[in-house]
Amino acid sequence: MSGLGNRAIILSLSRLANYGLMIVSPVILARILPVTDFGRYREFLLYASIVQALAAFSINDSLLYLMPHHPRSTRQIVDQTVLLSGVCSAAVICALLLVDQVSAGAVFGSYTVPIICYVLLYVNFDFWESYWLA
């Protein structure tokens, strides 16, 4: 089988495993964790996924389009994508802090710092998958 076929199979299997974990992990955690802890886990996941989706803004997906169409500008495209991801995530984090400050901690509560860490790490390091695919 060709190298491209092997990579496609590996990517498909890893994505399938990821979806399987997304389905199975809440079921297992619901059985293991007490109700209050599971509720905190789901609340954090809700806030983090909403803020992460706003911060990511699908910027990394542009690598899949731009890199094959402009192969000589790969470094510049990646640098601009990383910079734009950093700026967008910083703007969303500032908005999150502003909302939390205005609401006196009523919106995010004790999850503010963990959400900030999660979003900054996830959004700013997630470009690797698109980069390797492109």
Side-chain angles (χ1 to χ4, degrees):
M1 192 177 280
S2 70
L4 183 61
N6 286 336
R7 286 186 270 171
I9 289 172
I10 290 171
L11 178 64
S12 298
L13 289 175
S14 64
R15 293 245 173 144
L16 185 64
N18 184 26
Y19 289 129
L21 284 173
M22 285 179 15
I23 292 170
V24 171
S25 63
V27 172
I28 292 172
L29 288 175
R31 304 283 184 234
I32 295 173
L33 295 176
V35 174
T36 55
D37 290 343
F38 184 73
R40 282 191 220 122
Y41 158 74
R42 294 301 295 177
E43 184 180 11
F44 170 79
L45 211 57
L46 172 71
Y47 293 148
S49 60
I50 290 171
V51 173
Q52 176 265 322
L54 293 173
F57 205 60
S58 296
I59 294 169
N60 296 330
D61 295 338
S62 67
L63 290 175
L64 296 172
Y65 174 78
L66 292 173
M67 285 179 61
H69 284 81
H70 305 284
R72 292 190 179 125
S73 304
T74 300
R75 183 177 173 92
Q76 180 183 7
I77 292 168
V78 171
D79 289 346
Q80 289 174 350
T81 300
V82 170
L83 178 67
L84 191 57
S85 293
V87 169
C88 284
S89 62
V92 169
I93 293 303
C94 289
L96 180 141
L97 289 171
L98 181 68
V99 166
D100 196 53
Q101 195 72 2
V102 168
S103 69
V107 178
F108 300 106
S110 62
Y111 300 121
T112 305
V113 174
I115 289 172
I116 289 172
C117 293
Y118 176 83
V119 167
L120 286 176
L121 289 173
Y122 185 86
V123 169
N124 293 311
F125 291 110
D126 189 41
F127 75 94
W128 285 105
E129 179 183 4
S130 298
Y131 176 68
W132 286 332
L133 286 172

